[in-house]
Structures are given as C-alpha cells and as structure tokens.
Amino acid sequence: MTDSPLASFLLPQGFARPPITSLLHETRIVGEIGRFAARSHGERRERRRRPVDQGEGTEPVLLIPGFLAGDASLMAMSSSLRGLGFRTYRSRILTNIGCTYGAGRLIEARLEEIAERRGTRVQIVGHSLGGMIARGLAARRPDLVSGIVTMGSPMMAPGAHHPALSWGVEALVRLSQVGIPGLMSQDCVAGSCARESFDESRRELAADVGFTAIYSHRDGVVDWRACIDPSAVAVRVDASHCGMAVDPRVIDKVGAALRAQVGRGYDLDRQQIA
C-alpha cells in the first residue's frame, strides 16, 4: 500500500498529517489523568454530602469513543457528566475498529432506543472518530439528535492524522482481506463507503441542532485545523488528543456546551484553557 491506505479525498488541500514527533504531546495525558483523579476525589466527597439529581432536567447524552477505543475510554467523561447532572448512555462499542458507516447505522438504532425511552431527542459527545460519526448522525437524523459536541474530530480532513493511525488502519484492512469479519475494509477507507461517510459528515445541519467543536493546538494525533467545522462553535482547549477524554477542564467545556445547546443560557469561553 501507499504511505496512507486512505483515499486522497480524505486529506483535502490545506490540511496535513502531523509529524512523527507530534506524539510527544500525548505524554501530557499522565498529568491530565492525575488532574482528573484529584478532581474526582473532591467530587465524590461533595456528592456524599449533596447527591446530584441526574437527568431529570436535561436531555440524554450518548458518548461515542474514538478509533481503536471503546466505551471504557469515556468512563471518566461519563462519570463527570453525571456528576454535573446529565444522564449519559454508552454507545455499546467495545472497540471502534469496524466500518465507520456501519458503526453509524448501529448507533442510529441506539439513538432510537434512547429517544423512545426518554421521550426526547439526544445529544451526542464524540471523541475523535466518534465525533465524525456523531456529525454524520446529526445531519441524517435531526429528529433524533438535538446537538453534538466533538473532541479532536478531524471532520474536515479525516486523513489528517498521525502516520501511526494509518498503520493501524492498514493492519485492519489487511486482516479484513484475509477474512476476519467486523473490521474496516478497503472500501471503508478508500471506496464508496468512505466517500459516503465523508460526504454525510459535511452536510448542513438543521437549524435547531447544536454543534460545538473542541480542538487543541497540542493535539499530537490529528491536525487541529481539521477539527474546526465552519458550522460549529469552535472551542479551543489546552489538552492532548487522548487527554480530552479525561481532562476535567475539557469536561467542564463539554458540560457547558451541552447546557448551552439546550438553551440553558451558559456562555462558552472560547479562549484557551490555562
């Protein structure tokens, strides 16, 4: 295969794949996990004193993990959002390694289930590839989705990611070619399936669907410029790509965005988090 197994249209002009050395930014996750642990300890003490009413006044929130990750990667995010009063739901993805378009169809069924149970539309928080799936779902099913928050999701150029991810994609494609089911195939990354997923994620959203795109200049995995959709409220944070799922400063921004998108009057601080 070539340098990247992905189709060239997934890396439009104006975007670039991060250099090999950019992964050094991801070492920041050690501090971000520590920051979460310290915050979570304080939150547990506070909840023992004053329990939080979860979900009665908010729309349900579905969390979608990134490439090679599963619901476990967003457990910290889920726990913290519940502490803020949100009712969160898992995507039921064990490992996000299958066809992106197919994953979107499965999550669409999950959305229908949650919407029927709660009697309301659902907000989605998606990390990396999960955010791109969320963007496509929001465009296709505004009757189910009221708003999305993406974190480090290169929607404008899915191919603008670190070469290490391309190696992972290439490995999955080769395993699919030898008959292992449930993995990304060549069509998923370079054929009509990839084109359909990409085009869907760029469709205009309905006026009543909120959209917040969180990005970081310190992202060591994707080109941060590809994470800023012109139709979104862009919110800059100071976090690594993987750390966005655990850094409490980012989680606060996600919570503020979710509340703002249901008209609760919260103002988003669009400046870099110090």
Side-chain angles (χ1 to χ4, degrees):
M1 288 190 176
T2 60
D3 185 46
S4 173
L6 277 70
S8 59
F9 63 79
L10 296 178
L11 186 57
Q13 188 175 2
F15 302 100
R17 302 170 70 195
I20 294 288
T21 55
S22 69
L23 277 186
L24 292 174
H25 291 308
E26 297 305 298
T27 60
R28 294 166 56 90
I29 195 171
V30 175
E32 291 158 342
I33 290 174
R35 193 176 292 119
F36 173 80
R39 164 80 75 88
S40 126
H41 177 68
E43 288 176 344
R44 283 195 300 270
R45 293 178 57 188
E46 180 64 23
R47 281 200 289 271
R48 282 195 293 267
R49 291 169 38 197
R50 186 175 56 190
V52 176
D53 180 21
Q54 293 179 349
E56 291 304 317
T58 64
E59 292 179 335
V61 178
L62 175 66
L63 306 179
I64 307 179
F67 179 56
L68 298 178
D71 287 329
S73 69
L74 293 174
M75 286 178 62
M77 175 76 64
S78 176
S79 174
S80 292
L81 290 178
R82 282 179 171 261
L84 294 174
F86 294 97
R87 177 76 67 182
T88 62
Y89 291 84
R90 295 177 292 110
S91 68
R92 295 177 179 165
I93 292 177
L94 294 178
T95 311
N96 202 347
I97 55 176
C99 172
T100 300
Y101 193 74
R105 293 299 181 183
L106 291 174
I107 295 173
E108 183 176 347
R110 177 71 168 140
L111 283 170
E112 290 174 343
E113 174 190 327
I114 297 169
E116 182 177 359
R117 180 188 307 173
R118 294 297 305 277
T120 184
R121 294 193 298 171
V122 182
Q123 294 210 71
I124 305 176
V125 174
H127 184 212
S128 196
L129 176 60
M132 291 187 278
I133 294 173
R135 178 66 172 82
L137 286 166
R140 186 167 72 246
R141 295 300 303 271
D143 58 315
L144 293 176
V145 180
S146 63
I148 60 173
V149 179
T150 61
M151 301 180 295
S153 303
M155 295 154 292
M156 307 306 295
H161 58 238
H162 194 275
L165 262 67
S166 292
W167 302 334
V169 170
E170 183 173 0
L172 291 174
V173 169
R174 288 186 172 179
L175 289 172
S176 174
Q177 288 172 339
V178 298
I180 298 178
L183 304 179
M184 288 183 176
S185 69
Q186 187 66 32
D187 189 52
C188 296
V189 300
S192 59
C193 180
R195 169 61 76 177
E196 191 169 356
S197 295
F198 182 52
D199 289 346
E200 185 174 74
S201 69
R202 296 168 71 95
R203 283 171 47 195
E204 184 177 356
L205 297 180
D208 64 344
V209 175
F211 183 9
T212 302
I214 294 175
Y215 70 99
S216 171
H217 284 186
R218 294 183 180 271
D219 195 315
V221 176
V222 303
D223 183 348
W224 62 267
R225 298 171 298 174
C227 301
I228 304 176
D229 189 303
S231 63
V233 174
V235 177
R236 180 180 172 185
V237 298
D238 183 19
S240 67
H241 183 84
C242 296
M244 290 184 194
V246 296
D247 193 321
R249 301 171 303 175
V250 178
I251 294 172
D252 286 345
K253 293 294 185 183
V254 172
L258 291 170
R259 292 187 185 280
Q261 289 175 174
V262 292
R264 289 175 175 264
Y266 282 64
D267 291 327
L268 291 176
D269 176 5
R270 303 189 187 194
Q271 302 304 311
Q272 178 178 348
I273 298 177

